[in-house]
Amino acid sequence: MYEFNYQKAGSVADAAAKVAGADDGTLMAGGMTLIPTLKQRLAMPSDVVDIGQLADLQGISVAGGKVSIGSMTTHDTVANSADVKGAIPALAVLASGIGDPMVRNRGTMGGSVANNDPAADYPGAVLGLGATVVTDKREIAGDAFFTGMFETALDEGEIITRIDFPVPTKAAYTKFPNPASRYAIVGVFVAQTADGVRVAVTGAGGTAFRATEMEAALNANFSPSALDGISVSSDGLNKDIHASAEYRAHLIGVMAKRAVAACG
Amino acid sequence: MPRDDGIGASVRRKEDFRFVTGQGSYTDDLNRHGQTYAAFVRSPHAHATLNSVNTSAAAAMDGVVAIFTGQDLLDAEVNGLPCGWQVHSKDGEPMVEPAHPALAQGKVRHVGDAVAVVIAETLSQARAAAEAVAVDYGMLPAVGNMTAAKAGKAQIFEEAPNNQCYDWEIGDEAEIDAAMAKATHVVELPLVNNRLIANPIEPRVAIGDYDTATGEHTLFTTSQNPHVIRLLMGAFVLGLPEHKLRVVAPDVGGGFGTKIFHYAEEAIVTWAAAKVRRPIKWTSDRSEAFMSDAHGRDHETVAKLGLDADGKFLALKVQTDANMGAYLSTFAPAVPTYLYATLLAGQYTTPLVYANVRAWFTNTVPVDAYRGAGRPEATYVIEQIVEEAARQIGMDPADLRAKNFISPDAVPYQTPVALEYDSGNYAGTLEMAKKAINYDGFAARQAASKAAGKLRGIGFSAYIEACGIAPSAVVGSLGARAGLYEVANVRVHPTGSVTMHTGTHSHGQGHETTFAQVVAERLGVPIENVDVVHGDTNNIPFGMGTYGSRSLAVGGSALAKALDKVEAKAKKIAAHLMEASDTDVEFKDGQFTIAGTDKSVSFGDVALTAYVPHNFPHDELEPGLEEQAFYDPANFTFPAGCHIAEVEIDPETGTVTLANFVAADDFGNIVNPMIVEGQVHGGIAQGVGQALLEGCVYDEDGQLVTGSYMDYAMPRADNLPNFTVDTQVTPCPHNPLGVKGCGEAGAIAAPAAVMNAVTGAMRAAGVTKPIDMPATPSEVWAALHAS
Ligand SMILES: Cc1cc2nc3c(=O)[nH]c(=O)nc-3n(C[C@H](O)[C@H](O)[C@H](O)COP(=O)(O)OP(=O)(O)OC[C@H]3O[C@@H](n4cnc5c(N)ncnc54)[C@H](O)[C@@H]3O)c2cc1C
């Protein structure tokens, strides 16, 4: 780890000011991605601005057909929230499958979404539920948020404050984990929403994406068999020692069917 | 009534209190006055010339105390790291044994090869300066695997023009080919034994210290065998005599073989501490461990088994290529030869066995012994090909095995590959395991899986290992450059408590409990009055350490012999006190008695008399009660057994679920059943890890692809079912405790059992092509998909 200044933010505005005022400032949420990066000397920020404990950014509320989750809410809190379990059980299931208990107790939804690891789980839910990412500056539609591998629509220094998830009729998330890291090799989030069926795929590509052909088929017939015969192209999918692009393409089909089945 | 703390009792581990309360004292917990910190500059390239190593900018940085390079070691006449075993090729030539400099000289040969060491006031300063060392590498083509080594993609050492280390054989090839030609069935199987990274929970640490007043060097290190390190480092690398070199291995958090070997970092901190006159600590981080701890296994084999019309094995022929990595680690050459091919008879009467083993240099981390060392590789070959043979000739795999077992009446049994098995009952453990897994119910379980869209398979592994390493004369004749006896010292204190010193080393095995139980049983003292000391060359007379499941079989035998001496002397003292002849004295439950009289003295009284010798047979005995014994085993010990795995495969994803695993083992007599069970559980977990999860991957250019836990999959609790483990006892006939060793059995047996279950399940889906370990979902799916 290189040396850096540690600063604890008193408010969202204070955090933004501290990052802006630093030579090379970076936000820290749960630190579950940031700290390993620092320890491996892969990043050299001048200042680390800690927003993990900010009260404004915590908490879960359900109102007006939406579940709003503060960006610094930990995975463990989401996984065990009665509100989330009641309104969008799939989201609680997703959170409970992230990493291990230590990671879930520190890692946050905002940190995960801002980081946009191609193998992360939450992007599947943001896209799959058509959520809205709310920042200190604006609201960004989930569909426009994930722009590429580790890239998002966030501007420099822009802070995610909460994420609003519309409550679906039904939803489910199925994840095929990497045997080593247990991040998603393929994760599929399926939701029946007021605006139709959404199918979001994470882990398989450079960033999470929607499987529109599957959505169309499920809009016509919301059952696993509706997906028979839909094959996902392996073009452009990730490949590594754990899974070829073809295998990922195949798993998208399997996970999607299982998610539809799990919707009940 | 048997003691509740003696032999056979499941005594809770004495050492666990300190471990589970965080009070263990590991090497990194030690801090010496005035300590500095070392950071290594490591090569990011697999193969390159070292054109220049410029340390001047780094040397000027804050806190830097010293920087040393390979040239500095050369100038100071620090030698390279020695290899402890010399293997000869079949043409009689000794193996190619290139120099292994502690810091690279002229060339780097694997990613992680150490180029320079920076010593600074703080770790952070040392790391910062290490980054500032400017190395000019001249890139060379790299040999990332054995195929590239054979093809001569690059030449790694001048003295090995074809990258070959040796070409060794055992058995008679012409004879085996003739027998094979007469066989009714010949089964051939190509197999890969995957490369593994040991990953003990505690990474390696070394602290060098030098006492200017006495001239004594001290090395604190995470070692399984401190005396071996003292010998190798003192005599071969640094030229330091034993009386001025102390090696301490305190609490060690797991070894699995990778902490047997003498490593460059140990020699460097020891040497440099005397140079800079400050203690130096080096602590590996996990990324560094991946590229500097010796790896394990990495064999490619083609095996052929010939059977007669009845299914009797006639001949086994094995061709193996073994990856040595970039340098020869301490025991590397022995692993694929004497620890492997000598086990190829397995539990069977196969009259002819031939093996040819070729060892290759590659631009990868050195490969050496890893839990089981050679014996898992042998078991994998035998048990996979036997299972395959059963399938091809349409025989029940258990029946085929039973048909070919060496019967208990035939023991002692001379195998065609040098070893003489001393005891065993292989049908016994096979039956035990079949019963435990309800073998007869398998067909119904398979049908139920099928109905649920799953594939189910069952796989056997009837293994045998040679443990209790080893008779010194035998291994000496095979090229070992050390003896493999063990040492025990029993110090009875004046009030009858006991401190026992052993040359073995516990790094998870529970010796502090097991050895104390042997003392408690024998001397009749409560176990809490017995302490076991290990791990410090200044405290322990000598020792060869812990590996090869040798500690109880060899170290425990030394202990039994030392206890014999204690008892003999104590009897004489007791006889004197009771005014009787020592031949009339009986000793039981801590009391000395004379048969037919009511005379009795306690062990405590005898101990006190030994140290307060007022009424003492001075003309016959010296005061005191402390005895020592060296024990050199008469033979190896031969733990054996049968493990059975049952798996279920989800054909849609390729995921293999281990549905059940049973183990029936014969470890001879058992001192602590609970500890044995724990050792078996851990071994099975490691074996399952090898079969289903773990695989070290290098790319073509020698880059380590699996350089962290993001890509290297360790087994976790949720990958494993509850194990059913049981034991059968056929005592070892040639050691005083009748024990055989249990530490490696799980890792030896499990891979073949699991893979036989996997291939069995896949065969039901029409896949006949073998699949290699680890059987990850993607590999299994690809194999199913291709069929
Ligand atoms: C062992 C392990 C296993 C894991 N397994 C999984 C898994 O299975 N699935 C999965 O999805 N993830 C997994 N993760 C990642 C985990 O979910 C992390 O919590 C997540 O990636 C980052 O969240 P964090 O709160 O720790 O963010 P941090 O590490 O603190 O920050 C990550 C990045 O986001 C930025 N950032 C943080 N908060 C904000 C904000 N409010 N606005 C804008 N930018 C912000 C930071 O500047 C930083 O660049 C794992 C991590 C570990 C260590």
Side-chain angles (χ1 to χ4, degrees):
Chain A
M1 209 180 269
Y2 299 103
E3 281 184 21
F4 55 81
N5 299 314
Y6 171 84
Q7 305 202 54
K8 195 158 186 157
S11 66
V12 174
D14 180 41
K18 284 192 157 101
V19 171
D23 279 348
D24 179 15
T26 189
L27 296 167
M28 180 167 78
M32 290 294 92
T33 294
L34 181 66
I35 289 176
T37 313
L38 296 176
K39 279 165 78 175
Q40 291 185 295
R41 302 166 87 89
L42 295 172
M44 217 173 156
S46 65
D47 294 73
V48 168
V49 179
D50 188 352
I51 55 172
Q53 310 303 314
L54 284 181
D56 293 356
L57 303 182
Q58 315 286 336
I60 297 167
S61 63
V62 185
K66 275 191 318 197
V67 178
S68 296
I69 302 182
S71 63
M72 294 297 98
T73 308
T74 64
H75 309 329
D76 185 69
T77 304
V78 174
N80 292 302
S81 156
D83 285 338
V84 177
K85 284 183 182 169
I88 318 177
L91 193 56
V93 168
L94 178 150
S96 72
I98 297 175
D100 51 51
M102 284 181 286
V103 168
R104 292 196 289 275
N105 275 301
R106 295 234 21 123
T108 67
M109 180 180 283
S112 174
V113 168
N115 192 50
N116 193 20
D117 188 310
D121 294 299
Y122 271 131
V126 170
L127 217 50
L129 289 164
T132 303
V133 179
V134 182
T135 75
D136 58 341
K137 297 196 181 125
R138 57 187 166 141
E139 299 197 348
I140 307 171
D143 282 331
F145 187 80
F146 304 106
T147 54
M149 195 178 269
F150 294 105
E151 280 175 12
T152 66
L154 290 173
D155 289 336
E156 193 85 2
E158 188 172 1
I159 300 174
I160 301 174
T161 54
R162 63 165 210 274
I163 299 178
D164 293 341
F165 295 92
V167 175
T169 319
K170 292 174 176 177
Y173 178 67
T174 49
K175 169 181 183 176
F176 193 80
N178 176 315
S181 72
R182 302 217 175 162
Y183 275 80
I185 280 184
V186 167
V188 177
F189 202 104
V190 172
Q192 242 185 348
T193 74
D195 304 329
V197 175
R198 297 175 72 98
V199 178
V201 179
T202 189
T207 187
F209 60 88
R210 284 172 64 184
T212 44
E213 208 184 326
M214 288 186 172
E215 291 179 352
L218 291 170
N219 272 324
N221 170 18
F222 193 79
S223 77
S225 60
L227 299 177
D228 285 346
I230 296 184
S231 65
V232 179
S233 164
S234 60
D235 288 350
L237 295 189
N238 301 333
K239 52 175 190 275
D240 52 38
I241 58 165
H242 304 287
S244 63
E246 293 69 34
Y247 182 48
R248 281 189 162 89
H250 165 78
L251 284 176
I252 293 171
V254 177
M255 293 298 115
K257 279 190 189 176
R258 290 185 184 181
V260 174
C263 282
Chain B
M1 225 184 65
R3 301 180 64 90
D4 62 4
D5 59 0
I7 290 177
S10 284
V11 180
R12 285 206 196 164
R13 304 206 317 179
K14 282 162 68 103
E15 48 270 72
D16 283 352
F17 177 76
R18 84 174 182 276
F19 294 145
V20 300
T21 57
Q23 297 180 88
S25 179
Y26 296 88
T27 307
D28 194 53
D29 293 325
L30 307 174
N31 290 298
R32 311 294 290 173
H33 182 68
Q35 177 173 292
T36 61
Y37 295 83
F40 284 84
V41 178
R42 294 188 185 275
S43 171
H45 307 299
H47 198 198
T49 53
L50 277 179
N51 296 337
S52 68
V53 182
N54 188 335
T55 59
S56 49
M61 286 173 67
D62 280 353
V64 174
V65 174
I67 302 179
F68 300 107
T69 65
Q71 187 60 46
D72 295 316
L73 297 187
L74 213 55
D75 294 345
E77 297 183 0
V78 172
N79 292 319
L81 307 175
C83 181
W85 202 302
Q86 187 181 48
V87 167
H88 285 78
S89 285
K90 58 187 182 189
D91 62 7
E93 286 297 309
M95 66 188 188
V96 178
E97 194 174 350
H100 183 183
L103 291 172
Q105 291 160 9
K107 244 188 179 190
V108 287
R109 293 187 178 83
H110 66 85
V111 169
D113 207 357
V115 171
V117 61
V118 176
I119 295 151
E121 297 293 342
T122 70
L123 180 57
S124 179
Q125 289 169 333
R127 289 204 167 151
E131 278 175 0
V133 172
V135 185
D136 178 15
Y137 294 100
M139 298 294 289
L140 296 170
V143 174
N145 53 49
M146 289 193 281
T147 308
K150 289 182 218 168
K153 183 180 174 198
Q155 186 176 334
I156 301 170
F157 291 103
E158 229 168 83
E159 54 269 59
N162 52 5
N163 295 317
Q164 195 175 74
C165 175
Y166 57 74
D167 180 356
W168 174 92
E169 68 177 358
I170 189 167
D172 183 332
E173 189 172 14
E175 194 182 17
I176 207 109
D177 287 344
M180 207 65 85
K182 287 191 206 128
T184 313
H185 311 280
V186 176
V187 180
E188 187 170 325
L189 199 61
L191 294 160
V192 175
N193 205 293
N194 43 332
R195 187 179 179 112
L196 303 169
I197 304 179
N199 277 304
I201 196 164
E202 178 206 29
R204 290 189 296 118
V205 185
I207 305 172
D209 201 352
Y210 177 67
D211 186 330
T212 46
T214 62
E216 190 184 63
H217 303 259
T218 304
L219 168 68
F220 300 90
T221 183
T222 47
S223 176
Q224 300 176 217
N225 31 241
H227 286 87
V228 175
I229 302 305
R230 187 182 65 174
L231 183 71
L232 294 172
M233 183 175 81
F236 295 94
V237 186
L238 300 180
L240 300 173
E242 280 91 342
H243 70 297
K244 292 295 184 198
L245 175 57
R246 175 182 177 202
V247 178
V248 185
D251 285 333
V252 172
F256 311 112
T258 205
K259 290 178 183 167
I260 297 172
F261 323 121
H262 175 39
Y263 285 96
E265 296 86 355
E266 295 172 320
I268 290 166
V269 297
T270 307
W271 170 78
K275 277 273 196 211
V276 303
R277 305 268 160 134
R278 302 266 301 272
I280 303 170
K281 176 188 271 188
W282 169 72
T283 303
S284 169
D285 63 23
R286 189 59 67 180
S287 307
E288 211 173 1
F290 271 86
M291 58 172 124
S292 68
D293 291 3
H295 294 176
R297 314 248 152 86
D298 204 343
H299 282 196
E300 289 171 14
T301 293
V302 179
K304 243 195 223 181
L305 179 68
L307 302 90
D308 72 11
D310 294 335
K312 270 283 201 188
F313 304 158
L314 299 175
L316 176 69
K317 182 174 185 181
V318 174
Q319 163 67 54
T320 293
D321 289 306
N323 194 342
M324 295 282 105
Y327 302 99
L328 293 181
S329 175
T330 310
F331 290 117
V335 177
T337 50
Y338 296 106
L339 299 180
Y340 163 69
T342 54
L343 270 308
L344 285 171
Q347 299 186 349
Y348 309 111
T349 54
T350 320
L352 295 171
V353 176
Y354 171 83
N356 171 223
V357 180
R358 298 178 298 180
W360 304 94
F361 295 110
T362 58
N363 291 119
T364 63
V365 169
V367 181
D368 206 331
Y370 169 73
R371 198 171 192 171
R375 293 149 291 162
E377 295 90 316
T379 300
Y380 192 62
V381 170
I382 303 163
E383 289 305 287
Q384 288 264 99
I385 201 160
V386 167
E387 196 87 19
E388 180 65 26
R391 286 173 193 154
Q392 288 193 14
I393 68 174
M395 227 176 131
D396 177 275
D399 294 346
L400 180 64
R401 285 179 170 83
K403 188 179 191 78
N404 286 282
F405 279 155
I406 297 161
S407 92
D409 315 332
V411 170
Y413 178 83
Q414 176 64 53
T415 74
V417 271
L419 298 175
E420 187 187 90
Y421 298 165
D422 60 0
S423 58
N425 175 2
Y426 313 128
T429 41
L430 175 75
E431 283 309 316
M432 216 169 165
K434 275 170 71 178
K435 209 165 147 206
I437 203 149
N438 182 11
Y439 185 56
D440 295 339
F442 173 70
R445 295 193 296 276
Q446 190 177 35
S449 292
K450 194 169 176 191
K454 302 282 169 57
L455 307 169
R456 203 174 185 94
I458 193 163
F460 289 79
S461 179
Y463 74 97
I464 185 162
E465 40 174 334
C467 294
I469 294 173
S472 296
V474 174
V475 295
S477 72
L478 302 177
R481 290 167 168 156
L484 286 162
Y485 49 83
E486 206 36 81
V487 188
N489 173 284
V490 176
R491 180 175 299 163
V492 180
H493 299 293
T495 56
S497 65
V498 177
T499 303
M500 186 259 150
H501 298 86
T502 173
T504 65
H505 186 282
S506 186
H507 31 277
Q509 295 87 345
H511 295 176
E512 290 172 45
T513 308
T514 305
F515 283 56
Q517 286 177 255
V518 173
V519 175
E521 175 81 33
R522 190 67 187 274
L523 300 182
V525 295
I527 193 167
E528 54 272 21
N529 289 1
V530 184
D531 264 2
V532 175
V533 177
H534 60 84
D536 184 343
T537 59
N538 270 17
N539 270 341
I540 319 290
F542 202 76
M544 295 307 294
T546 286
Y547 40 81
S549 303
R550 70 189 301 273
S551 296
L552 193 61
V554 190
S557 297
L559 170 59
K561 287 189 64 183
L563 289 168
D564 285 345
K565 295 184 190 178
V566 168
E567 185 179 321
K569 181 169 178 181
K571 272 185 175 164
K572 288 186 177 148
I573 299 170
H576 178 85
L577 292 176
M578 294 187 285
E579 295 172 341
S581 158
D582 63 320
T583 52
D584 294 335
V585 176
E586 284 172 12
F587 181 50
K588 204 171 163 245
D589 300 333
Q591 289 292 322
F592 297 90
T593 52
I594 310 286
T597 75
D598 59 358
K599 285 185 182 174
S600 125
V601 288
S602 71
F603 182 73
D605 289 338
V606 168
L608 192 63
T609 306
Y611 288 94
V612 187
H614 295 167
N615 176 15
F616 193 84
H618 285 288
D619 47 350
E620 190 193 342
L621 294 176
E622 295 168 8
L625 192 52
E626 171 164 351
E627 296 291 347
Q628 180 167 308
F630 279 59
Y631 174 81
D632 201 316
N635 190 357
F636 294 88
T637 61
F638 295 96
C642 182
H643 291 200
I644 306 178
E646 198 164 315
V647 303
E648 194 175 66
I649 298 177
D650 174 354
E652 284 187 335
T653 62
T655 304
V656 178
T657 304
L658 186 58
N660 198 359
F661 196 102
V662 304
D665 297 298
D666 185 343
F667 300 134
N669 290 331
I670 287 176
V671 174
N672 185 318
M674 183 175 66
I675 288 180
V676 167
E677 196 172 323
Q679 290 289 307
V680 174
H681 279 220
I684 294 170
Q686 252 169 320
V688 172
Q690 168 162 29
L692 297 180
L693 294 153
E694 299 184 51
C696 169
V697 178
Y698 277 94
D699 72 10
E700 301 257 294
D701 299 318
Q703 286 294 325
L704 179 59
V705 180
T706 50
S708 80
Y709 293 134
M710 292 300 283
D711 290 303
Y712 189 89
M714 295 292 285
R716 306 182 208 190
D718 64 0
N719 295 124
L720 305 166
N722 284 329
F723 306 137
T724 305
V725 308
D726 205 349
T727 52
Q728 151 194 293
V729 177
T730 64
C732 170
H734 59 77
N735 68 41
L737 296 172
V739 297
K740 298 183 178 181
C742 69
E744 296 162 299
I748 289 170
V754 173
M755 291 307 291
N756 282 334
V758 169
T759 52
M762 289 177 59
R763 190 161 287 237
V767 180
T768 49
K769 202 168 157 276
I771 174 169
D772 290 324
M773 300 187 286
T776 59
S778 92
E779 294 295 319
V780 171
W781 177 79
L784 288 169
H785 190 65
S787 76

